[in-house]
């Protein structure tokens, strides 16, 4: 299943606490948060941009589906 992650500079975003309230980041890709669609990831990326002077990027990743079929 395709999901989306956000990078701020050379770090992955793990949490966004709200407009102007900060973000949490990690250097480990596996610890990054992911969003279910591109639109939500862009909203997260904009929030990350408000909290940092780093370049921001949205990447697509493949993650397993944890839903039962």
């Amino acid at each position: 299943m395709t999901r989306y992650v956000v990078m701020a500079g050379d770090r992955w975003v793990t949490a966004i606490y709200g407009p102007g309230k900060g973000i949490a980041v990690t250097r480990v890709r596996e610890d990054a948060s992911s969003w279910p669609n591109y639109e939500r990831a862009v909203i997260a990326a904009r929030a990350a941009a408000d909290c940092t002077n780093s370049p921001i990027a949205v990447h697509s990743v493949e993650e397993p589906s944890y839903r039962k079929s």
Side-chain angles (χ1 to χ4, degrees):
M1 152 175 20
T2 301
R3 291 183 62 93
Y4 299 88
V5 295
V6 176
M7 282 193 83
D10 64 346
R11 297 172 193 240
W12 302 95
V13 174
T14 59
I16 299 198
Y17 299 109
K21 295 186 179 179
I23 63 172
V25 294
T26 182
R27 289 189 183 271
V28 181
R29 160 55 199 108
E30 291 77 14
D31 293 340
S33 292
S34 65
W35 285 265
N37 58 51
Y38 185 75
E39 292 77 16
R40 289 187 184 205
V42 168
I43 292 168
R46 287 183 181 145
D50 289 343
C51 295
T52 181
N53 292 327
S54 299
I56 304 297
V58 175
H59 297 271
S60 63
V61 295
E62 289 300 317
E63 293 185 354
S65 176
Y66 298 105
R67 291 182 177 184
K68 288 188 175 184
S69 302

